[in-house]
Amino acid sequence: FPALKEPKPAPLTKHAYSYTPNVSLSLPLGMGNPCLGTQYHTLQSSPVISVSSCHQTGYTLQNDNNAASGYYLHHGLRPSGAPALESPRIEITAYSQYPEDEVEESSSENHIIKRGVNSIVTLTLPNAEFYRDPSCLSPASSISSRSCNSEASSYESGFYNYDNSPQNSPWQSPCVSPKGSSLLLSCPHASGPAGSPHRSPSTSPQIGAMAEEGWSAQPRGSRPNSPKYSINGAPYHQTSCSPNHSQTPSPHGSPRVSITDENWLANTNQYTNSAIVAAINALTTDGMVDMGEGIPIKTRKTMLDHSSSMSLKVEPGGEELGPDGELCHEDYPSRLALKKENHCGGFLDVPQHLYSWSKPKPYLSPSLPALDWQLPSCSGPYNLQIEVQPKSHHRAHYETEGSRGAVKALSGGHPVVQLYGYMESEPLTLQLFIGTADDRLLRPHAFYQVHRITGKTVSTASHEVMQSNTKILEIPLLPENNMRAIIDCAGILKLRNSDIELRKGETDIGRKNTRVRLVFRVHINQPNGRTVSLQAASNPIECSQRSAQELPLVEKQSLDSYPATGGKMMLLTGLNFLPDSKVVFVEKAQDGHHLWETEAKVDKDSIKSSTLIVEIPPYRNQRISSPVHVNFYVCNGKRKRSQYQRFTYLPPNVPIIKTEPSDEYDSLGTAGLAMHSKPYYNQPRITPIMPIADPDACLVGGYPPCPPRHAAMPSSSPNSSPTLHDLSPVAYKCLPNSPTHAAPPGPMVPPIQETPGRPNFVHPASPDHGSSLGMLHSQGSPNHLHSPGPHAYHPVYANSSPSSSPVSHPSTPGGTAESPFVQAYSPSQAQAAASSAQTGESSPSLLPEDASPPSMAITVKQEPQELDQMYLDDGELPETRCTYALFASLHQLIKDRHFFFLDGSAFI
DNA sequence: TCCCTGGAACGAAAG
DNA sequence: GCCTTTCGTTCCAGG
């Protein structure tokens, strides 16, 4: 690994190879796959992944008791140490998270061969200088973007998915024992704790302890000033990474299966991503087809161990492990129920709860999507909704603090999530993790973790699992509760910035990156064996103490559009409004320059801490012929601004479609002041003049539209968008008959893993792209135009009204399905987009309904003077910067036919 | 006693 | 380089 010390650009060449009889997949990460969320990085140095399946020789030992050992034999070494020469390979050239010495040390401690003779992972690494190198920050790694090495990104989780893909999952493979598989998957340390002398009878904290162990290697009270103790470094130096040891040094030796370390270790060499999964998926025609025959068992094992991303924490004592050290995950509820019977102890049951986790197998899908994959909230008959949104502020707690309680709802209760359209009797599992709330695609937040709350006041059962360094809270969704869950068991843990930032490969910056979203997922197994995965993200939650106290926050606005003449009163509700609060409307060019800025008149008399009435100022140009998207913010003084809120000026002659008036404020004489909640994030809605999304937008592959929302559904729900789209599984592969629709441009996952035989997805309401593209506000990042990686496709949606705004766009939580993923992708479009993108965008001319080709300007946004301004001052992120590079890349990829999704075979 | 909560001290980083 | 401001983190106290 000389590159570790003498970094050099990773080769773009496909130097790794496969003698694969069945599958050979080689792609430069980020270049070859649109699913990558980090293509920026690859523009600089592109990791290369080559996946190949070979013989199965040597893989049959995976089910033995040496599973744990095998689990770590990433590199082709069998437990005996003998090289598994014929192991299937995943050869990856990528960044490394570990310096050589660390890897070695870890390896030695764990007796794990990290770099075997046949190491199939080639790490060609950028040097330390690359880390946070300005050149990395832009455009590839703007501060809050996930680096390609982010543990929770698809690079790793892709393995997870790949491991569990229908094609490769041992769960579905007749060749591999599900048990054995699950053992490997869920209990990478199985052989450790099971037979470990370190088992402690002590009843250390159970699930909650995971956080401490996983994230708090640093002694309480110490200042985060030493990388040595960082989560990255410390655990590998200070604590044993042995499967037999928890990460946290313990006099007793923790009996628990420490998830973090093995994940970390496993992830060290896991440089894959959604691309692989997508590619594999694309290369298969039926998710049910078991590719096991083509992929050696050991390959799957190996990949499974990578998928330790879904490993579980074992109950104290470790005795719960099965005789074989099993920690089964594939049917964990059952296992959980058996926990007291010495079975899989990775789950904490909550006695006081009715749900004992003993229900039949829940969601567990053979191909769970990575956490940074964008999923729809609605698919076919299913609709995952956040019925009650969390409060916009929740002070997260540090590990050095006690819990600060569960996230609460504005009303004083707790968030509520409900799955509609599910009529089965089997319970499901609702997953919850902490996601980002910036303008990019939703992904696990690097600096926050969900924290399981327990106690008398907690009514909802839950347990934790880790997936790619992201803690996931799993909560039962029970039919008897109408598939509704009250989320009173989820707090938010803040990780020290220094710990995270010092992670190798981590490019996010924690400073001022204090907003998160609750991300809910549910995986619904279909009778045909496939799985529908849905996701919904909450409104943003400000987690810092200071911000919560000082920054104004606009939660709702009564209008989100009005004629350019202005003059209308608009009611804002939120927090921290002050008598001297100002409301400023701004319009920015795509390069970030202010085109227009004006201070609106605020009704001083009406200002309360939570409400503010402002007069919409006239737009600078009264003669616009199409809607113009601008933003406004509330300012409490220098550097104390709210996030940008979206507002659209309409041509004067456009009739206004008013939303339901708010009774509460009718008296204010603000007719039409129906509140639009969290517009910044909740703008999946299309402004009135926009082509309203056809409710049938949810139609996918023959599925009926999403079921009508529950009557009780709050209209303000971010999921309430009428523009919910489904993610056609077909789109993933492609739509040869639908050239006007693009395949998933990002790590968007089809909600259904496979739908053979279904008609290709054709957007029912999009004879042109205007209508459909106008609905592409994805949950995680409405401003796809600016986002890294997956947004390379954004040009396709350049005429999407929400995305056409030159300024940052609100994220649209709620897992709305207005994802670009729903759009089939065609090279011609992309090319057209790429070329037309040169023409520049003139927002007023970009009528959403305009069927003309997108005309998004390709500009390289200037770097902000200060990093933190990216967050604070602009309220937006420097996401537009690499647009050109991405387009160029996109163009090339098209030419090279790297788009696997065009027709399942074009990828290679 | 533990959990939760609000406030603030302190130091580092940014301005 | 110095001073001020801002922010992150830790600590304390009270319910």
Side-chain angles (χ1 to χ4, degrees), chain A residues 82 103 106 156 199 224 226 237 249 267 283 314 363 448 507 518 727:
Chain A
V103 174
S106 296
E156 293 80 20
R199 274 193 240 170
S226 173
H237 290 292
N267 287 335
L283 291 171
V314 176
Y363 73 86
Y448 293 89
T507 54
L518 303 183
L727 303 184

Side-chain angles (χ1 to χ4, degrees), chain A residues 157-165 277 366-371 373 467:
Chain A
S157 51
F159 255 107
Y160 168 77
N161 288 277
Y162 176 56
D163 299 342
N164 299 296
S165 67
V277 186
S367 55
L368 298 180
L371 297 181
W373 286 23
Q467 180 172 339

Side-chain angles (χ1 to χ4, degrees), chain A residues 61 120 129 136 159 172 201 229 266 391 423 466 506 551 573 613 624 632 635 666 722 758 780 845 848 864:
Chain A
L61 295 179
I120 57 172
E129 288 73 30
C136 285
F159 255 107
Q172 294 196 8
Y229 296 98
K391 285 174 63 176
M423 303 304 178
M466 288 292 286
E506 179 59 63
L551 298 179
T573 58
I613 294 177
I624 57 175
F632 70 87
C635 178
D666 280 349
R758 278 189 185 158
S845 68

Side-chain angles (χ1 to χ4, degrees), chain A residues 296-620:
Chain A
I297 296 171
K298 187 165 184 176
T299 299
R300 289 176 261 162
K301 293 294 186 183
T302 301
M303 292 184 291
L304 273 176
D305 62 343
H306 289 300
S307 70
S308 59
S309 52
M310 190 55 128
S311 56
L312 296 172
K313 188 177 183 66
V314 176
E315 284 291 292
E319 288 82 2
E320 285 85 352
L321 287 174
D324 296 329
E326 292 186 24
L327 181 53
C328 308
H329 187 264
E330 83 277 18
D331 57 346
Y332 65 80
S334 300
R335 298 287 174 173
L336 183 64
L338 295 173
K339 182 178 63 176
K340 293 176 181 177
E341 301 173 25
N342 246 6
H343 283 273
C344 313
F347 307 91
L348 280 184
D349 50 353
V350 181
Q352 67 268 34
H353 300 296
L354 294 177
Y355 186 72
S356 65
W357 293 99
S358 60
K359 300 285 183 177
K361 181 190 296 186
Y363 73 86
L364 202 64
S365 162
S367 55
L368 298 180
L371 297 181
D372 59 351
W373 286 23
Q374 311 304 301
L375 301 174
S377 62
C378 158
S379 176
Y382 308 117
N383 197 350
L384 183 63
Q385 296 285 343
I386 300 178
E387 294 293 282
V388 178
Q389 288 284 340
K391 285 174 63 176
S392 55
H393 286 146
H394 176 85
R395 180 175 164 181
H397 66 270
Y398 287 84
E399 295 177 78
T400 54
E401 299 180 303
S403 168
R404 290 192 175 274
V407 175
K408 295 176 179 59
L410 198 57
S411 60
H414 294 278
V416 175
V417 176
Q418 186 163 3
L419 174 65
Y420 292 94
Y422 181 79
M423 303 304 178
E424 306 301 321
S425 59
E426 287 195 356
L428 298 177
T429 295
L430 180 69
Q431 294 185 316
L432 165 60
F433 64 91
I434 303 300
T436 57
D438 57 31
D439 297 338
R440 292 178 180 72
L441 290 176
L442 180 63
R443 62 196 182 280
H445 205 297
F447 300 92
Y448 293 89
Q449 295 281 322
V450 67
H451 173 78
R452 179 172 178 256
I453 303 294
T454 58
K456 290 179 289 188
T457 60
V458 177
S459 63
T460 305
S462 66
H463 70 87
E464 293 172 320
V465 296
M466 288 292 286
Q467 180 172 339
S468 300
N469 282 336
T470 298
K471 193 185 296 181
I472 299 174
L473 210 56
E474 297 194 327
I475 298 163
L477 272 180
L478 308 176
E480 50 264 44
N481 291 341
N482 205 21
M483 302 306 286
R484 182 184 182 93
I486 298 173
I487 314 301
D488 61 356
C489 55
I492 302 176
L493 172 70
K494 174 67 168 67
L495 305 175
R496 280 192 296 264
N497 291 342
S498 58
D499 285 352
I500 304 306
E501 289 169 354
L502 288 169
R503 272 182 185 168
K504 292 172 182 61
E506 179 59 63
T507 54
D508 275 13
I509 291 177
R511 191 175 175 85
K512 296 186 180 180
N513 188 359
T514 55
R515 290 186 310 140
V516 308
R517 282 182 283 176
L518 303 183
V519 184
F520 299 94
R521 280 187 172 185
V522 66
H523 307 280
I524 309 166
N525 286 330
Q526 300 294 285
N528 59 6
R530 291 163 192 136
T531 302
V532 173
S533 295
L534 302 177
Q535 173 175 300
S538 73
N539 289 342
I541 303 170
E542 174 59 56
C543 291
S544 74
Q545 174 191 15
R546 187 178 304 277
S547 297
Q549 294 173 338
E550 298 176 352
L551 298 179
L553 185 143
V554 179
E555 293 181 323
K556 296 179 180 178
Q557 63 190 79
S558 60
L559 288 173
D560 57 11
S561 63
Y562 198 75
T565 52
K568 184 76 172 180
M569 301 304 286
M570 176 169 63
L571 173 70
L572 306 180
T573 58
L575 295 172
N576 299 331
F577 297 148
L578 302 175
D580 60 348
S581 291
K582 297 176 180 177
V583 178
V584 178
F585 280 68
V586 297
E587 179 184 15
K588 287 186 177 182
Q590 192 143 35
D591 61 2
H593 290 108
H594 282 232
L595 295 175
W596 173 64
E597 179 172 322
T598 189
E599 182 178 337
K601 293 179 183 177
V602 174
D603 182 356
K604 301 289 184 183
D605 297 333
S606 67
I607 291 183
K608 297 176 184 175
S609 64
S610 61
T611 61
L612 180 155
I613 294 177
V614 60
E615 179 182 334
I616 297 168
Y619 183 58
R620 61 186 171 97

Side-chain angles (χ1 to χ4, degrees), chain A residues 742-869:
Chain A
M748 196 71 175
V749 193
I752 304 174
Q753 302 305 323
E754 193 64 47
T755 51
R758 278 189 185 158
N760 289 332
F761 170 58
V762 176
H763 198 292
S766 55
D768 62 3
H769 288 280
S771 58
S772 59
L773 296 180
M775 300 178 280
L776 292 177
H777 249 175
S778 95
Q779 57 173 2
S781 175
N783 58 335
H784 305 295
L785 296 177
H786 313 310
S787 300
H791 309 143
Y793 298 82
H794 293 164
V796 176
Y797 315 109
N799 62 345
S800 161
S801 62
S803 297
S804 62
S805 172
V807 296
S808 64
H809 294 287
S811 294
T812 55
T816 52
E818 308 83 28
S819 160
F821 198 72
V822 303
Q823 297 300 326
Y825 179 81
S826 76
S828 59
Q829 274 188 330
Q831 287 174 313
S835 58
S836 65
Q838 301 285 354
T839 63
E841 175 187 26
S842 173
S843 36
S845 68
L846 284 177
L847 277 171
E849 57 272 48
D850 203 325
S852 60
S855 57
M856 189 184 78
I858 292 179
T859 58
V860 178
K861 182 179 179 179
Q862 284 187 324
E863 289 288 344
Q865 296 294 319
E866 303 296 340
L867 286 179
D868 64 308
Q869 286 185 342

